[in-house]
Amino acid sequence: MPHDTEKYWEIFERMSSDEIAEINRLNDEEHQKQAKAFKEGYHKGICYLCSKPFKTISSENPCLHWLLRQCKFKKKDFPKIYAKYGYGNIAAYIRWCANQERLLSNINDLKDEKPDRKVISYTVKWKNIDWTFDCSKNDLEGHSGTAIDYPHYHFQMRIDGKQFINFNDFHVPFTDHDIFILKTSIERGDWFKQDFGAIGSGMQDAVSIDLDDILEHTTPSKDEENATYHFSTMIDARDNPISGEEIYEIQMEAQRTGKSFALIAQQRLTGRAQVQTIVSPADSTPDIASRTEHKRR
């Protein structure tokens, strides 16, 4: 059904601050409840949705844990999943799983890497699996005059880098609820935003954090493969040269305190040198898989 986001805005405008706060509270409560159940089940190898081990599959009861490929899930089974679950449910489950293995940097949903013509474009990595969601503006509108004249998205799944589900295998329909969420977040993004909860955040949320907070609260990773950020720090001390010995002391203090070199350098060299730190996604963040779109004639 069509969604008039102007009407949604008018409803929102008529609501009191207490009513909005209550809706947000109930939504957060439900999310926390589901996230808790998910994590408890995940660490036992049990799906919180169907209460069955990840290694089981039942054709009569399609479930999102099939996508983890711990069971004998085949490409032909995918329509059973999206017939039962919408895009929002599928994406959230996959993102939640990815963040149990490595927080934030397993999900490349960076806006700077999303082409302008795309509504959705991001890749999620979990163990040996990569999933990519892709939806252009044309896909969201539906391809008029064709058999796929309905809002849809494309989905790719790779296992050990090998093909399993390709973008062109399915035109996955959005549910009405999906369309409501997407259209409202696109057209009324100033007050309505889609997210996947605290345990579904990706690199876009990670790079949106204030730089000072990143420097204050991050610790150096012993394994670059598990890092969230990459720091590049430059020290300009042309007016008051810094000795190599002091740089070494800064490194040692950073190691001793578990803080970043960038933070310690800023604290120790304030007023004596300019310290500039560039924070970027870790090199191990997966690339967003691209989809070649056919030109419409």
Side-chain angles (χ1 to χ4, degrees):
M1 63 175 287
H3 291 278
D4 186 345
T5 59
E6 178 67 27
K7 288 184 178 179
Y8 302 150
W9 166 251
E10 291 172 356
I11 293 171
F12 175 78
E13 280 285 89
R14 291 196 295 268
M15 296 173 65
S16 68
S17 58
D18 287 343
E19 288 174 321
I20 295 172
E22 179 63 9
I23 290 174
N24 288 333
R25 184 189 68 79
L26 292 173
N27 184 62
D28 184 61
E29 225 175 60
E30 177 60 24
H31 169 68
Q32 295 298 332
K33 177 182 175 182
Q34 288 207 35
K36 182 175 183 291
F38 166 82
K39 288 192 285 188
E40 288 176 352
Y42 179 90
H43 293 293
K44 296 176 183 176
I46 295 173
C47 177
Y48 88 113
L49 293 172
C50 66
S51 301
K52 294 180 179 178
F54 289 149
K55 294 183 179 181
T56 63
I57 185 170
S58 170
S59 59
E60 293 78 26
N61 186 25
C63 190
L64 294 175
H65 78 262
W66 294 6
L67 292 170
L68 302 180
R69 200 73 193 330
Q70 302 295 291
C71 57
K72 295 181 179 179
F73 168 64
K74 296 180 174 62
K75 179 170 70 173
K76 65 181 179 62
D77 298 316
F78 185 49
K80 297 177 182 178
I81 293 177
Y82 67 70
K84 182 176 180 180
Y85 298 98
Y87 157 73
N89 299 122
I90 296 172
Y93 194 90
I94 284 174
R95 293 170 73 112
W96 288 13
C97 288
N99 274 331
Q100 299 310 299
E101 296 298 308
R102 186 168 65 132
L103 188 62
L104 302 173
S105 50
N106 265 349
I107 303 172
N108 187 345
D109 56 357
L110 292 163
K111 291 180 180 178
D112 288 347
E113 297 186 15
K114 183 180 77 172
D116 290 339
R117 69 184 184 279
K118 300 289 185 179
V119 176
I120 298 169
S121 178
Y122 61 88
T123 290
V124 181
K125 181 176 180 59
W126 178 83
K127 297 184 183 296
N128 64 328
I129 300 177
D130 294 278
W131 302 278
T132 301
F133 295 86
D134 186 285
C135 175
S136 69
K137 294 175 182 178
N138 288 335
D139 295 331
L140 184 59
E141 294 301 320
H143 303 318
S144 180
T146 71
I148 46 177
D149 186 11
Y150 55 86
H152 64 275
Y153 65 96
H154 294 264
F155 181 79
Q156 177 177 276
M157 181 173 173
R158 293 285 182 264
I159 302 175
D160 293 321
K162 299 177 182 178
Q163 295 183 15
F164 185 73
I165 295 176
N166 295 321
F167 284 127
N168 61 355
D169 286 335
F170 303 99
H171 293 78
V172 190
F174 285 114
T175 66
D176 186 63
H177 182 261
D178 289 331
I179 297 170
F180 160 71
I181 296 292
L182 287 168
K183 288 202 67 175
T184 307
S185 61
I186 293 169
E187 298 175 11
R188 303 290 167 181
D190 53 335
W191 62 274
F192 186 95
K193 300 185 187 300
Q194 180 188 30
D195 65 37
F196 298 93
I199 64 170
S201 298
M203 280 308 302
Q204 182 56 48
D205 286 317
V207 300
S208 298
I209 299 172
D210 183 83
L211 176 60
D212 290 338
D213 288 335
I214 292 176
L215 295 179
E216 178 68 30
H217 299 293
T218 55
T219 57
S221 176
K222 296 179 180 178
D223 180 4
E224 289 187 7
E225 284 297 313
N226 291 319
T228 300
Y229 301 104
H230 174 77
F231 287 5
S232 296
T233 300
M234 294 165 282
I235 299 174
D236 183 351
R238 68 188 72 184
D239 298 327
N240 188 9
I242 306 298
S243 69
E245 183 179 349
E246 186 164 10
I247 295 296
Y248 177 75
E249 289 175 358
I250 292 173
Q251 291 176 325
M252 292 300 98
E253 183 177 345
Q255 290 181 17
R256 186 176 66 256
T257 61
K259 298 292 185 179
S260 67
F261 174 88
L263 177 65
I264 303 302
Q266 282 192 358
Q267 292 174 343
R268 290 189 52 157
L269 302 178
T270 298
R272 299 167 51 203
Q274 291 184 347
V275 180
Q276 182 180 15
T277 298
I278 298 174
V279 178
S280 57
D283 293 338
S284 55
T285 300
D287 293 328
I288 300 176
S290 59
R291 173 172 69 100
T292 302
E293 297 177 63
H294 297 293
K295 293 183 178 179
R296 299 179 67 183
R297 298 179 179 179

